[in-house]
Amino acid sequence: MTFLAPIAGLVGLGLALPALVVFYLLKLRRRPVRVSSTMFWEEAVRDLQVNVPFRWIRPSLLLLLHILILLAILGAIARPAIDAGVPRAERVFLLLDRSASMRAGERFENARSRAAELVERLAGAGSPDFTVISFGATPEIELSPTRSVGAVLDAIGSLEATDEPADLRSALGLVAALGVSATDSVDEGEATPRSGLAVLISDGGSLPRGGERPAVVPGVALAFEDVGGEPVSNVGIIAFDAARDPSDPGRVRVFTRLINTAPRAAAVRVTLGFDGLASLSTSIELAPASETGASDSARSFVIPGRLGGLLTMTAEAPGDGFTADNIASVIVPPLRAPAVLLVAPAGAEGVAEPDEAIRDVLELMGLRALRVVTPVYAAALSPEQWGLYDLAVFDRVEVAVPPPISSLHFGSAWSALADAGSLERPREIGFALDWARDHPALSDVALDTLRVGRRLELSEEGVARVLARSEDGPLIVESLEGGLPRVVVGFPLEQSNWRLQIGLPVFLADTVEYLAGSASGLSGSWRTGEPVELGVGRLGERVAVDGPISTDRRTSESERASGVLRLGSLSLAGLYGVRTGAIDVAVPVNLLEARESSLTGPPPAAPPSVEEIADAPRGGVEAARRELWPELVMVAVALLALEWGIYLMRMRA
């Protein structure tokens, strides 16, 4: 205990206590009164003896009460104070971490309870201005500076955790800006910083790991309150992406990275699928976490996905205490229907006459465009006109130079690849001895029943790969002439039995997809806290968002003019449905943050706690003392009331 005004108390004691004793030593003057009995004389004599000067004072309850009242008043004048256990600050910034890791266990509930406790303690040690700031990916001022404890507690109680990553640097930058603006003006335009305290209430995952301590602004001390609690085991997805296989656009390659924070190995059940239908389900064993941190493992998968859609991955493990990172989704656009130029020999009337089997299959494929032309028309096309098509199919047409787009050739090739005259030479019936079953064009085709008559003698020089081979040479090859993929079938269909087999339409569909397959439409995914912008073309008057966060608002004029819908950042992970006019768009929002999923605690060089700052003042902030004079005044008033009651009772007697 410390007395803030001890001299005033001692002076008061030296003056008041002797005065009180003197009052009790003085002889009392009494008014003569007639009484009907002598029974009170003995008491009156003793009372007279007490009031004789220089005699010992007779013990009296009233005297004791007077002394206690006097001591209580003198104690209040001396201003006794005790350590309040918190620093004294004129401004207090409460920084509440509402990032994804705070949703693990009861961390955020602990943060709100701790914040409310500190508010009451700091308010009891003074009357600071409280500012409440919450932060995830971006900081937000939840409550402007106020001294109302009730308003501060209400603001704290209304906060909820998010799935966003924590950006402590931005939050401290906001505190620095507020700290510089909240200064006291003095003469000549100078400013004197007021003492401030910034209290970070977090699990410590957002603190720097390099050993340095974050700085705020001169005059503002930073305190850290750890609310991480007991360690939480977590298995989660920290990376997830998907893309079409360049060698086979009908397949989708998936890349993912999983994390395990438990000190034991974890068996994770992984499920992958489009639009809720599982395409792959497998179990992965993750190594246990080490002393240096959580373990992680990268995996890749290949699944069929011609139609595309919403690709979702889930990772489930027993004892997982954090579920926000157990699911991730990405939009994989469907393959875009290509535009095909079919080049075939001209008939008697000068009109192109392709093989009916090729033409029928292409027409049934749902192409974006199919145009049948003669070699003369194709030779006159400019590069810009070739750019209107994704694939050229040459049926029994020789070309001097391959076109500037990918191409498929039946019974034709360019001179560097085959001698055109070899097609006219009589040949024995041949068959495929072997074919590339792993190539996208032949992965679903069997050539064991294929029979071929006349065929080109294809060269193997400069060929990227031989896809099918007969007893006397290649039957189907792949070339990269001109830097573009080209598939050459060394025989016309009329010289084979392929047109009678189901393998031909399958081969044509797979080869067109391989040579001209490309994605179309919206694709990808977003992360929590990341601004979402959708180029959806024509927009209606209103936009509705359904999901973990639901909104309904009018679209702005700039959005309708540009066709770009700006939804801002979405703080909760999950799948959102966006409706605007007649357009429905799926928006997957994922966590995918290693620091949040690892549930990292505070680093060794974490800032001190509020109590530690009070024990060892720093940053221009001193320890707060709680003065006891209000309590002493209340004690004096209570004793005075008691003394007055006793006196009245005695007077009545």
Side-chain angles (χ1 to χ4, degrees):
M1 181 182 293
T2 303
F3 290 93
L4 302 181
I7 297 179
L10 292 176
V11 171
L13 180 63
L15 296 177
L17 186 58
L20 177 63
V21 174
V22 167
F23 279 120
Y24 270 85
L25 290 177
L26 290 178
K27 185 175 181 180
L28 297 179
R29 296 182 178 181
R30 290 178 170 80
R31 177 171 57 87
V33 178
R34 288 177 181 270
V35 298
S36 60
S37 174
T38 61
M39 61 182 298
F40 301 105
W41 289 1
E42 183 178 353
E43 183 68 23
V45 171
R46 287 198 299 267
D47 193 27
L48 289 172
Q49 292 176 350
V50 170
N51 286 278
V52 174
F54 308 110
R55 296 288 299 270
W56 288 105
I57 299 175
R58 180 186 173 189
S60 171
L61 178 59
L62 292 177
L63 174 61
L64 177 60
L65 290 175
H66 290 157
I67 293 176
L68 293 177
I69 293 171
L70 181 62
L71 292 178
I73 295 175
L74 293 175
I77 294 174
R79 295 179 60 191
I82 59 175
D83 188 359
V86 294
R88 176 184 294 277
E90 298 180 44
R91 295 168 301 146
V92 175
F93 301 93
L94 294 175
L95 295 172
L96 273 82
D97 184 354
R98 56 184 181 91
S99 61
S101 62
M102 293 292 289
R103 300 184 66 186
E106 298 182 353
R107 295 186 178 186
F108 197 70
E109 288 76 8
N110 295 338
R112 288 191 296 194
S113 299
R114 181 58 175 160
E117 176 189 351
L118 286 174
V119 167
E120 294 179 349
R121 292 179 58 191
L122 290 167
S127 297
D129 291 329
F130 288 99
T131 302
V132 180
I133 299 174
S134 66
F135 70 96
T138 57
E140 296 182 8
I141 300 177
E142 303 292 345
L143 183 65
S144 299
T146 181
R147 295 187 179 183
S148 172
V149 175
V152 176
L153 296 179
D154 290 342
I156 293 172
S158 65
L159 294 178
E160 296 292 341
T162 69
D163 291 330
E164 297 179 356
D167 186 356
L168 179 59
R169 184 184 298 274
S170 297
L172 293 179
L174 178 58
V175 172
L178 295 174
V180 171
S181 62
T183 57
D184 293 329
S185 298
V186 295
D187 295 337
E188 298 181 1
E190 297 180 356
T192 303
R194 299 161 55 195
S195 63
L197 175 66
V199 184
L200 171 62
I201 305 175
S202 168
D203 56 6
S206 59
L207 288 168
R209 303 281 135 181
E212 72 279 8
R213 290 186 176 180
V216 186
V217 69
V220 178
L222 178 63
F224 166 60
E225 295 295 321
D226 185 6
V227 293
E230 296 295 327
V232 177
S233 298
N234 177 43
V235 168
I237 305 169
I238 59 175
F240 181 68
D241 200 4
R244 293 197 174 276
D245 191 336
S247 63
D248 184 1
R251 300 189 303 172
V252 175
R253 290 192 173 273
V254 181
F255 170 81
T256 184
R257 185 178 292 274
L258 302 172
I259 193 172
N260 178 28
T261 67
R264 58 187 179 279
V268 186
R269 191 67 184 175
V270 173
T271 303
L272 273 169
F274 282 98
D275 300 323
L277 301 177
S279 300
L280 180 146
S281 183
T282 185
S283 182
I284 298 176
E285 187 80 12
L286 295 182
S290 63
E291 295 181 357
T292 58
S295 67
D296 63 87
S297 176
R299 301 297 174 96
S300 61
F301 308 96
V302 178
I303 60 175
R306 287 182 171 86
L307 299 179
L310 182 69
L311 176 62
T312 301
M313 173 180 174
T314 60
E316 300 176 348
D320 191 354
F322 183 56
T323 60
D325 57 0
N326 287 3
I327 185 169
S329 301
V330 63
I331 297 176
V332 178
L335 287 175
R336 182 171 65 100
V340 175
L341 183 70
L342 177 56
V343 185
E349 299 180 359
V351 179
E353 295 182 353
D355 191 288
E356 292 183 359
I358 297 176
R359 181 169 188 166
D360 291 345
V361 172
L362 291 177
E363 288 179 345
L364 293 173
M365 286 179 61
L367 301 175
R368 188 173 79 255
L370 175 62
R371 188 168 187 181
V372 183
V373 300
T374 62
V376 175
Y377 180 90
L381 291 177
S382 65
E384 291 76 13
Q385 291 173 317
W386 277 110
L388 299 176
Y389 302 95
D390 302 299
L391 176 67
V393 178
F394 293 90
D395 178 25
R396 297 164 294 158
V397 173
E398 298 298 328
V399 293
V401 178
I405 60 175
S406 300
S407 56
L408 171 61
H409 303 256
F410 284 93
S412 66
W414 50 96
S415 58
L417 186 64
D419 178 12
S422 64
L423 185 62
E424 305 299 329
R425 299 178 191 140
R427 305 286 292 273
E428 295 183 359
I429 298 297
F431 55 92
L433 293 177
D434 188 26
W435 62 92
R437 294 171 174 84
D438 60 340
H439 192 275
L442 297 174
S443 59
D444 301 321
V445 179
L447 300 181
D448 51 348
T449 59
L450 175 65
R451 298 294 180 266
V452 180
R454 294 179 179 177
R455 51 196 178 274
L456 291 171
E457 294 180 0
L458 298 175
S459 172
E460 296 190 39
E461 296 183 4
V463 171
R465 188 177 184 184
V466 175
L467 302 183
R469 185 184 298 274
S470 67
E471 72 280 0
D472 59 354
L475 285 177
I476 305 175
V477 299
E478 180 182 12
S479 171
L480 296 177
E481 184 72 21
L484 295 170
R486 308 178 191 280
V487 174
V488 178
V489 178
F491 54 89
L493 291 183
E494 62 186 16
Q495 290 293 320
S496 73
N497 64 344
W498 210 7
R499 66 169 64 183
L500 304 177
Q501 299 179 5
I502 190 63
L504 176 62
V506 175
F507 169 80
L508 264 174
D510 288 349
T511 304
V512 170
E513 182 180 278
Y514 168 66
L515 295 175
S518 60
S520 63
L522 292 173
S523 63
S525 62
W526 290 262
R527 294 189 177 190
T528 52
E530 176 184 6
V532 177
E533 293 188 357
L534 303 174
V536 295
R538 188 173 181 180
L539 292 173
E541 291 290 332
R542 300 194 66 83
V543 57
V545 179
D546 297 325
I549 300 175
S550 298
T551 60
D552 188 351
R553 65 171 176 85
R554 291 181 58 86
T555 55
S556 65
E557 292 184 4
S558 62
E559 288 176 326
R560 291 193 293 271
S562 64
V564 177
L565 183 63
R566 298 175 179 85
L567 299 180
S569 61
L570 299 173
S571 60
L572 294 179
L575 180 63
Y576 293 81
V578 179
R579 301 192 311 274
T580 170
I583 301 175
D584 291 345
V585 181
V587 178
V589 178
N590 307 314
L591 176 56
L592 303 182
E593 283 290 339
R595 174 172 287 190
E596 300 298 327
S597 294
S598 63
L599 306 180
T600 307
S609 66
V610 171
E611 286 78 6
E612 290 172 340
I613 290 181
D615 293 338
R618 66 195 75 190
V621 178
E622 298 180 352
R625 295 187 177 95
R626 180 170 173 270
E627 295 192 32
L628 302 178
W629 66 264
E631 288 82 356
L632 292 176
V633 171
M634 293 178 62
V635 169
V637 171
L639 292 176
L640 186 59
L642 177 61
E643 185 270 343
W644 184 248
I646 294 175
Y647 176 75
L648 290 179
M649 290 178 61
R650 289 192 175 184
M651 289 295 294
R652 185 176 181 182

